[in-house]
């Protein structure tokens, strides 16, 4: 936690999730399209964190609000923090991947020091991660609104391949009209 003035990292979302402080319903997954997300550090006024999955299992980015409250009152910067998580077998040296302390977590952009706040984006900031553009649009209280556009994975939905309506499904999903049928993962569209 970042409750001491000398601790600047805070409690990042993936660690709060691993500790059980955040539950799966507090996550959102952006697979593609242009969508606005509300993120609240405690998941009260929106999701607590946003995940940009990849086509490689165990490799993804996590975005979450970083605010001076609770156990993190000593943080030097507030905004949306971005971390890359790599818990693939190659990164962990284990055949089945890893989690917990053996998980590889790095700030985006990468930083050489733990006191850096370059990975914390204030309102108005834009960042591009693997072709996905993220704009921190606004903040109301501790809730941040993000505009996210682009695809983080090759296939937006796992169940529309070969469907004659795949192009239409992609069109309406890209515009946020219908983003999937299995929240919060939104990996399926359920075209039938």
């Amino acid at each position: 936690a970042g409750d001491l003035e000398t601790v600047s990292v805070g409690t990042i979302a993936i660690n709060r999730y691993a500790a059980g402080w955040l539950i799966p319903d507090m996550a959102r997954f952006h697979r593609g399209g242009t969508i606005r997300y509300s993120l609240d550090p405690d998941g009260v006024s929106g999701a607590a964190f946003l995940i940009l999955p990849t086509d490689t299992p165990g490799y993804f980015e996590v975005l979450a609000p970083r605010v001076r409250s609770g156990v993190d009152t000593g943080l030097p910067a507030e905004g949306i923090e971005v971390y890359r998580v790599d818990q693939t077998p190659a990164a962990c040296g284990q055949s089945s991947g890893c989690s917990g302390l053996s998980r590889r977590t790095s700030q985006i952009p990468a930083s050489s020091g733990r006191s850096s706040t370059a990975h914390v984006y204030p309102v108005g900031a834009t960042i591009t991660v693997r072709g996905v553009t993220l704009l921190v649009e606004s903040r109301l209280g501790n809730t941040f609104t993000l505009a996210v556009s682009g695809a983080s994975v090759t296939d937006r939905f796992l169940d529309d391949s070969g469907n004659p309506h795949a192009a239409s499904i992609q069109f309406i999903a890209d515009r946020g009209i219908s983003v999937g049928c299995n929240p919060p993962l939104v990996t399926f569209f359920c075209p039938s």
Side-chain angles (χ1 to χ4, degrees):
D3 59 345
L4 303 175
E5 289 184 25
T6 58
V7 180
S8 60
V9 174
T11 311
I12 64 174
I14 190 67
N15 292 340
R16 289 186 286 142
Y17 174 78
W21 297 354
L22 302 176
I23 60 173
D25 288 347
M26 294 177 174
R28 297 296 176 269
F29 292 79
H30 182 85
R31 295 180 62 82
T34 300
I35 302 171
R36 281 191 170 70
Y37 297 94
S38 291
L39 299 179
D40 175 281
D42 301 316
V44 176
S45 301
F49 57 108
L50 177 66
I51 296 174
L52 300 178
T54 68
D55 292 324
T56 303
Y59 186 80
F60 53 94
E61 286 82 26
V62 176
L63 295 83
R66 176 184 172 119
V67 297
R68 292 180 191 108
S69 68
V71 296
D72 291 330
T73 56
L75 297 175
E78 293 184 302
I80 295 294
E81 61 183 7
V82 183
Y83 281 88
R84 176 162 293 132
V85 178
D86 188 351
Q87 52 192 34
T88 61
C92 303
Q94 301 174 16
S95 61
S96 61
C98 59
S99 61
L101 295 176
S102 59
R103 176 192 321 111
R104 304 293 178 249
T105 307
S106 56
Q107 301 170 347
I108 298 177
S111 171
S112 59
R114 290 184 54 89
S115 62
S116 171
T117 59
H119 68 293
V120 181
Y121 298 88
V123 171
T126 300
I127 178 176
T128 300
V129 177
R130 291 184 296 102
V132 177
T133 302
L134 310 136
L135 167 63
V136 184
E137 284 189 333
S138 63
R139 176 181 181 179
L140 181 59
N142 285 340
T143 302
F144 288 82
T145 300
L146 288 177
V148 183
S149 61
S152 66
V153 291
T154 304
D155 290 324
R156 174 79 181 269
F157 300 110
L158 302 175
D159 62 349
D160 69 342
S161 298
N163 186 291
H165 305 290
S168 297
I169 289 168
Q170 185 67 40
F171 179 87
I172 63 175
D174 283 348
R175 284 149 185 84
I177 297 167
S178 178
V179 295
C181 65
N182 64 327
L185 295 176
V186 294
T187 53
F188 296 108
F189 188 81
C190 301
S192 61

